[in-house]
Amino acid sequence: MILGNEYDMLKHEAVSKEDTTMQKTTMIVIRKCLLIMLGSFIYSVAINSLLLPHQIGEGGVTGLTAIGYYALHIQPALTNIVLNSIILLIGFKLLDKKTIFYSLWCVVWISIFLKLPPIFQYHTKQTLIPAIIAGVFMGIALGLIYRADGTIAGSTIIASILNKYLGVQTGSAMLFCDLLVAIPSGFIIGTERMFLTMIELYISAVVLNIFNDMFGAKYSIKIITPKVEQMSASLSNQLKQGITMVHTHGYYSGEERAMIYIICSKKQSAKLFPLIEQIDPNAMIVLEQVHSVAGHQLNMLK
């Protein structure tokens, strides 16, 4: 009878843990979907209220939608969802299914928001101003979408593939892909607006890289200290994750020693340095930014 009660208690605890895990997973998915919706809204505002009214182009699929709108009066929402659906099918085998799902969610909402009337009417002869503002808006929007593991498909799918397999910064890879569309668009929108488009794309890429460095960048920390066990225990407790130990050999001293290797976020790294100095002020620390990280611990760093 006692064994039966213990079994029921263990079963109840296991079910409770499973329910808690499912609730946390659901909340994460909801948060990411809302974040993508916000990014999609900002992105659509930049197109509807800043780019299209001033006949400024864009890169990637968005650039093609703008060209279709200027030359053939095709609704951007229609072009956006058709072309991006094709590109998502291409990226289906190269990117994880989670990214594809969030990207599809993003494409749908961008298409919905593009069908809405402009949020504000801003017209000026100084077309450099809307190009700069649109670049900032798009950089922030893309940062939010990437932060939620999504993309706007199009050139961002290609940029994600380059980041994942070659370690190229997302903003830089996207700028290169977008220019392949933006430069030929000069035949439709004119040379002046083509240069404005290039300025907008550059600003967007810079803002996106800054956004990723501030909120999404991952860093590797290498620590060499004689207090390895104490340091590892404290850092693992602080990060709530495992610590990698790398065996090293000093050429000059001939001494063998373990080196602590950690992947963490920028926010986490700021908390680790005071802890490291408290345990061993003479510890050697190497901090490097990592352009691409893959693995199951990646979600723990967010």
Side-chain angles (χ1 to χ4, degrees), residues 26-187:
T26 303
M27 291 303 298
I28 290 173
V29 172
I30 292 174
R31 180 178 63 85
K32 288 183 177 182
C33 287
L34 292 175
L35 202 61
I36 287 174
M37 288 175 65
L38 175 61
S40 301
F41 175 74
I42 297 173
Y43 191 85
S44 302
V45 168
I47 295 173
N48 276 343
S49 300
L50 295 167
L51 296 183
L52 294 183
H54 298 91
Q55 290 192 321
I56 300 173
E58 242 293 317
V61 169
T62 307
L64 294 175
T65 62
I67 293 174
Y69 177 77
Y70 299 142
L72 304 173
H73 304 288
I74 301 174
Q75 287 298 317
L78 177 62
T79 312
N80 178 71
I81 197 165
V82 170
L83 294 180
N84 279 321
S85 296
I86 297 173
I87 293 176
L88 282 172
L89 289 175
I90 296 173
F92 188 77
K93 292 185 177 181
L94 297 175
L95 297 175
D96 60 273
K97 305 305 180 285
K98 179 179 63 176
T99 300
I100 297 298
F101 166 74
Y102 287 126
S103 299
L104 182 59
W105 176 260
C106 179
V107 169
V108 169
W109 278 104
I110 287 178
S111 299
I112 292 173
F113 289 136
L114 284 175
K115 290 184 70 67
L116 299 177
I119 300 300
F120 61 89
Q121 300 290 338
Y122 178 71
H123 296 284
T124 176
K125 294 181 179 179
Q126 301 295 328
T127 49
L128 180 61
I129 297 175
I132 293 174
I133 298 174
V136 173
F137 276 23
M138 287 198 163
I140 294 173
L142 291 172
L144 291 171
I145 293 168
Y146 275 121
R147 182 68 176 155
D149 293 330
T151 70
I152 60 170
S155 59
T156 56
I157 288 287
I158 300 174
S160 296
I161 293 171
L162 292 175
N163 175 261
K164 181 177 181 179
Y165 292 101
L166 300 179
V168 181
Q169 276 193 305
T170 303
S172 302
M174 194 176 65
L175 175 62
F176 172 76
C177 296
D178 286 343
L179 287 176
L180 295 179
V181 174
I183 294 176
S185 70
F187 294 103

Side-chain angles (χ1 to χ4, degrees), residues 100-270:
I100 297 298
F101 166 74
Y102 287 126
S103 299
L104 182 59
W105 176 260
C106 179
V107 169
V108 169
W109 278 104
I110 287 178
S111 299
I112 292 173
F113 289 136
L114 284 175
K115 290 184 70 67
L116 299 177
I119 300 300
F120 61 89
Q121 300 290 338
Y122 178 71
H123 296 284
T124 176
K125 294 181 179 179
Q126 301 295 328
T127 49
L128 180 61
I129 297 175
I132 293 174
I133 298 174
V136 173
F137 276 23
M138 287 198 163
I140 294 173
L142 291 172
L144 291 171
I145 293 168
Y146 275 121
R147 182 68 176 155
D149 293 330
T151 70
I152 60 170
S155 59
T156 56
I157 288 287
I158 300 174
S160 296
I161 293 171
L162 292 175
N163 175 261
K164 181 177 181 179
Y165 292 101
L166 300 179
V168 181
Q169 276 193 305
T170 303
S172 302
M174 194 176 65
L175 175 62
F176 172 76
C177 296
D178 286 343
L179 287 176
L180 295 179
V181 174
I183 294 176
S185 70
F187 294 103
I188 304 295
I189 61 178
T191 304
E192 179 181 344
R193 284 181 170 79
M194 180 196 71
F195 284 122
L196 288 172
T197 300
M198 295 172 66
I199 292 173
E200 180 267 321
L201 289 173
Y202 176 76
I203 293 173
S204 174
V206 170
V207 172
L208 175 59
N209 284 337
I210 293 174
F211 188 98
N212 285 338
D213 288 342
M214 291 178 62
F215 301 105
K218 302 296 181 292
Y219 291 84
S220 68
I221 301 180
K222 300 172 184 175
I223 308 166
I224 298 179
T225 173
K227 302 180 180 179
V228 176
E229 293 300 327
Q230 182 184 356
M231 185 79 71
S232 301
S234 299
L235 295 178
S236 181
N237 183 61
Q238 175 70 31
L239 292 174
K240 307 298 181 185
Q241 69 182 55
I243 300 294
T244 300
M245 309 299 294
V246 181
H247 294 285
T248 61
H249 179 85
Y251 176 78
Y252 181 77
S253 63
E255 181 181 356
E256 291 189 359
R257 183 179 297 172
M259 179 180 70
I260 302 171
Y261 183 80
I262 307 170
I263 297 291
C264 63
S265 66
K266 186 175 183 179
K267 182 178 179 181
Q268 288 174 322
S269 67

